[in-house]
Amino acid sequence: MSSDNGRRRGGDSGQSGEHGEQLALIRESVRKAKEPKARPRTWRGAKLAGELPVARVLVDKGPVHLDRLWDYAVPAELDAQAQPGVRVRVRFGAGTRQVRGGRREGGGLLDGYVVERVAESQYQGPLAALAQVVSPEPVLGPALLRLCRAVADRYAGSLADVLQLAVPPRHARIEAEPSPELLPPPAAPAPGSWSRYPAGPAYLDAVVRGDTPRAVWTALPGPHWAAELARAAVAALASGRGALLVVPDGRTAARVDAELTALLGAGRHVLLTAGLGPEERYRRWLAVNRGAVRAVVGTRAAMFAPVRDLGLVALWDDGDSSHSDPSAPQPHAREVLELRAAQEKAAFLLGAFGRTVEAAQLVETGWALPLAADRAVVRAAAPRIRTVGEHDEARDAAARAARLPTVAWEAAREGLRHGPVLVQVPRRGYVPRLACERCREPARCAHCAGPLEARGQDGGLHCGWCGRESGPWHCPECGGFRLRAQVVGARRTAEELGRAFPGVPVRTSGRDHVLDTVPDRPALVVSTPGAEPVAEGLGYAAALLLDGWALLNRPDLRAGEEALRRWLGAAALVRGQEAGGTVVVVADPALRPVQALVRWDPAGHAARELADRAELGFPPVSRMASVTGPPEAVAEFLAMAELPDGAEVLGPVPVPAALPGRPRRPGDAPPGERWERALLRVRPGQGAALAAALKTTQAVRLARREGEPVRLRVDPPDIG
DNA sequence: AGCACGCCGACT
DNA sequence: GTCGGCGTGCTC
């Protein structure tokens, strides 16, 4: 039998009472609450603020952060400082309330933000007072708060979690410094290389005029996109508004920063990246928050930068996985910037060499317009692309030693006569599966059909899902018995190429040592995808894209899109075909992404992928979310959740165990535990309802502490 | 998460 | 009566 304590406390004064003093105390607080005017103007003897004496506070993180606002009394001496947006400390927790003697004080001090000041509280009970105003700096303005709320709702996460991503930690010393003077807006930019796009100058003009054009921009290959991005930001500044550019990594941010400096000089923009260190980052963030600087270029955390009067948000290369924040609730920069463009009435520019299905959907729904060059211009700017099958064995002994097909060998040799040659090799760890050497059929576990993996160097096989050892393997399709091992890494490829091309310098760029640029001289540059150095001058004379099968064989819905994105990224660094640039891709020419590369048609590829997704009911046409955790917890969660009409539950299925080598990602089970994952799918337009249902269920389960918590992920990245 | 409150059994 | 273990629910 449950106690009726809560109900009485809740304020039903009609209960007959036998609990003497206790009940009298409760009645008293209820009476006070029902007559707000009777609320004392003092708190434990201290005077309260005369105007708006109640602060609504968001508690930043508690043991269990409760995703709602809490009312606190504002003492008179904090009245002036406790303005909306400032950081405060409050006592929170049972024991805070005044007990009989009225002297008790308990609960820990927690950090929070004043969200608003109001005249009265709805709370039926005595309010505790704000303990402290940490700083009078209003760091959570109304626009940022609204954005964070929307992001929390979109991702079924808590506001506190989102604020942790959006508001940087405080440094008192930095706050004491003055921010620089706001410089006057620059003149409208000349179109520059934007005139290569028929709609380019018009897009800039619209931004300069103060309009809010939205575009999905397919960038021409070559190095001009960084300057074009900078020019778009200048257009927003020229309109008297602010600009925000988000790019995947610090290296890219530095390039765009340099272009902005070239156009604007110093002082009108800031670079915001993690590499700055917390203090410098806070200094720059404050300059933006105070309105002293109106343009920002940065990596994903900058997507929340509180730019005043936002006129343009732009995102470069939305297919790059680093645009997904790894911290809960894992918001994606593209989605956040879409929300910002809508909420803050800003122009939107999504640029890339490739196109994601999400970008294709923005175009298809008419939310954004395509911004691309004419076919003839594209063809002239892009290198010549040749394909070669994997089994095209080279006759030349040197080429065979380097595992290069004849066509690739010849392209490299020819390219080296004119400049540097890029060789793109997938990262070693990137290939998740072993496959039949003859027919490429992935090797699967005989028990659970999970992917087989090689353990260490000894060649023993085990299943990546159930961990069982596998005996001698033979291919169920073609009867082959040899497995294709993981891709040869960049280093060994470099060694082999060095032997094949004696006298040619070989440089490598990869995870550990990323080169920014290479000189315009003959050299072989071996790089993993994403780490390709920019070749100075005209660009690379040629590029070889090796081991295409490894990129395409990933068990991921996005494998084709991702392979194309990586190829385009490398090929865009190569000279145009009129300047003799050549790219050789080693992959089956019948495959859709390979054909899209040959035709340099990322928009067409994305449109077809989107159509496929629509037919299969996959995101982004439908909206999906995952629920991960111990099997009982997932089952209970699903039983309790009131999902929107027509929602489908797929699974749950066991989550593949986290591999010993790989770092644990959110959603992986802790070592030794078996977790399950269910996927939820709703029709287009029901995404918000799904997120709301998940959030409610999670909140109820956490509050009641029913069973173990589950992890929620809206837009799970690895379906397939 | 803490913490207080109420219930209920064990002991003075 | 009074003390304290334990279950439940609240935290402005």
Side-chain angles (χ1 to χ4, degrees):
Chain A
M1 194 172 64
S2 75
S3 160
D4 59 357
N5 175 30
R7 229 177 309 145
R8 281 191 198 142
R9 238 163 221 294
D12 182 357
S13 58
Q15 291 271 353
S16 73
E18 291 160 333
H19 297 71
E21 201 178 352
Q22 191 57 42
L23 198 58
L25 198 78
I26 293 162
R27 285 217 180 98
E28 175 66 5
S29 75
V30 168
R31 189 187 61 77
K32 279 184 191 162
K34 283 189 174 168
E35 304 163 36
K37 277 174 197 142
R39 195 187 286 285
R41 296 275 117 181
T42 62
W43 189 82
R44 284 172 52 191
K47 219 167 155 285
L48 289 185
E51 296 267 306
L52 307 179
V54 175
R56 312 209 71 211
V57 172
L58 183 92
V59 175
D60 196 15
K61 51 190 155 182
V64 174
H65 55 261
L66 296 170
D67 202 30
R68 42 170 293 199
L69 301 180
W70 305 88
D71 292 355
Y72 284 82
V74 181
E77 70 270 19
L78 296 183
D79 184 19
Q81 291 202 323
Q83 293 304 310
V86 305
R87 302 183 210 250
V88 289
R89 262 198 263 276
V90 293
R91 293 204 176 277
F92 190 87
T96 310
R97 88 190 76 132
Q98 288 172 282
V99 189
R100 264 171 259 218
R103 289 289 149 218
R104 286 293 292 273
E105 206 176 76
L109 278 176
L110 293 181
D111 292 318
Y113 304 88
V114 174
V115 164
E116 57 178 338
R117 291 277 299 266
V118 293
E120 285 171 14
S121 173
Q122 304 292 2
Y123 179 63
Q124 308 182 322
L127 296 185
L130 293 178
Q132 186 191 351
V133 173
V134 175
S135 145
E137 189 90 37
V139 292
L140 183 58
L144 184 54
L145 175 65
R146 191 157 74 116
L147 174 65
C148 292
R149 278 226 165 93
V151 171
D153 290 345
R154 163 78 171 70
Y155 285 95
S158 74
L159 182 54
D161 279 348
V162 178
L163 286 181
Q164 209 131 21
L165 304 175
V167 182
R170 171 172 189 256
H171 290 269
R173 192 157 44 80
I174 310 294
E175 280 181 2
E177 300 172 1
S179 285
E181 290 275 303
L182 175 65
L183 297 177
S193 53
W194 273 116
S195 41
R196 300 180 300 161
Y197 303 84
Y203 184 87
L204 283 194
D205 280 348
V207 175
V208 170
R209 277 199 312 273
D211 283 353
T212 59
R214 300 195 285 236
V216 170
W217 162 40
T218 306
L220 284 165
H224 299 297
W225 59 270
E228 287 155 7
L229 215 44
R231 241 169 242 277
V234 176
L237 288 178
S239 75
R241 300 177 294 171
L244 172 59
L245 311 178
V246 178
V247 301
D249 52 58
R251 193 168 147 235
T252 312
R255 279 182 70 186
V256 178
D257 177 53
E259 298 288 355
L260 278 168
T261 305
L263 286 168
L264 289 170
R268 281 200 181 89
H269 77 282
V270 288
L271 171 72
L272 274 184
T273 61
L276 297 169
E279 295 203 356
E280 181 56 23
R281 195 170 182 174
Y282 192 53
R283 180 177 290 122
R284 296 182 183 192
W285 188 90
L286 272 186
V288 173
N289 192 45
R290 290 168 175 175
V293 173
R294 298 291 179 90
V296 172
V297 56
T299 44
R300 66 167 177 260
M303 66 190 171
F304 290 106
V307 176
R308 291 271 179 94
D309 258 327
L310 197 59
L312 170 78
V313 292
L315 182 68
W316 176 252
D317 200 11
D318 65 315
D320 192 304
S321 62
S322 57
H323 282 308
S324 232
D325 201 297
S327 304
Q330 296 164 271
H332 193 285
R334 181 190 50 243
E335 310 297 323
V336 173
L337 293 183
E338 277 175 42
L339 285 168
R340 281 196 88 161
Q343 289 191 341
E344 300 178 48
K345 299 195 172 47
F348 177 89
L349 182 60
L350 177 55
F353 296 123
R355 183 176 289 184
T356 60
V357 282
E358 288 82 1
Q361 194 183 33
L362 293 180
V363 172
E364 183 165 304
T365 59
W367 193 84
L369 292 173
L371 177 44
D374 289 336
R375 284 304 311 168
V377 176
V378 174
R379 265 197 300 275
R384 194 160 85 100
I385 314 275
R386 305 187 58 186
T387 64
V388 51
E390 296 149 20
H391 299 292
D392 178 9
E393 280 273 305
R395 288 176 301 273
D396 189 297
R400 226 172 21 242
R403 298 172 299 110
L404 288 180
T406 308
V407 176
W409 162 259
E410 285 169 355
R413 203 175 48 187
E414 174 63 18
L416 284 170
R417 290 175 45 213
H418 302 100
V421 171
L422 177 67
V423 182
Q424 188 193 55
V425 187
R427 283 190 35 217
R428 245 168 175 292
Y430 194 77
V431 183
R433 298 187 164 179
L434 297 171
C436 172
E437 189 186 53
R438 224 159 63 193
C439 73
R440 298 279 171 273
E441 178 70 13
R444 293 183 174 281
C445 172
H447 295 276
C448 72
L452 289 185
E453 288 159 353
R455 198 187 316 270
Q457 307 291 33
D458 60 355
L461 294 173
H462 72 281
C463 171
W465 287 1
C466 67
R468 282 193 181 88
E469 297 288 335
S470 165
W473 176 88
H474 73 271
C475 178
E477 290 298 308
C478 72
F481 55 91
R482 288 174 66 105
L483 282 166
R484 180 148 181 164
Q486 66 261 65
V487 162
V488 175
R491 191 158 306 152
R492 222 183 95 199
T493 303
E495 286 168 16
E496 289 174 357
L497 287 171
R499 264 179 263 128
F501 295 94
V504 178
V506 182
R507 316 195 58 185
T508 58
S509 181
R511 259 193 96 56
D512 308 331
H513 293 293
V514 176
L515 300 173
D516 285 341
T517 58
V518 292
D520 188 14
R521 280 197 297 273
L524 284 160
V525 181
V526 180
S527 172
T528 56
E532 297 91 353
V534 175
E536 286 161 359
L538 294 169
Y540 291 100
L544 312 181
L545 311 176
L546 303 182
D547 290 319
W549 66 273
L551 288 172
L552 290 165
N553 263 19
R554 310 206 81 212
D556 189 314
L557 217 50
R558 228 180 254 284
E561 174 188 304
E562 180 65 4
L564 178 58
R565 189 181 77 81
R566 288 170 177 233
W567 290 334
L568 291 169
L573 301 173
V574 178
R575 301 168 193 183
Q577 57 185 311
E578 57 199 8
T582 303
V583 170
V584 176
V585 54
V586 182
D588 180 353
L591 296 171
R592 187 193 274 177
V594 183
Q595 293 183 353
L597 176 68
V598 170
R599 291 198 308 275
W600 204 281
D601 182 23
H605 183 265
R608 281 186 289 278
E609 289 282 305
L610 183 65
D612 284 1
R613 301 272 191 105
E615 201 169 301
L616 295 168
F618 278 127
V621 179
S622 63
R623 178 70 60 83
M624 279 186 148
S626 64
V627 178
T628 309
E632 325 77 61
V634 172
E636 286 164 20
F637 186 99
L638 293 175
M640 186 190 291
E642 291 176 26
L643 299 174
D645 283 346
E648 287 174 83
V649 179
L650 314 171
V653 296
V655 175
L659 297 173
R662 262 202 317 251
R664 254 186 77 204
R665 291 168 308 162
D668 285 348
E673 279 187 48
R674 284 295 190 71
W675 278 12
E676 287 186 349
R677 180 173 86 159
L679 286 174
L680 307 178
R681 174 161 68 181
V682 293
R683 291 192 304 276
Q686 299 249 282
L690 174 63
L694 295 177
K695 196 168 169 174
T696 306
T697 309
Q698 180 83 313
V700 169
R701 276 175 46 90
L702 283 175
R704 294 190 199 154
R705 265 184 288 175
E706 285 176 7
E708 295 211 50
V710 294
R711 305 218 181 170
L712 300 179
R713 175 79 147 108
V714 173
D715 300 339
D718 55 347
I719 336 150

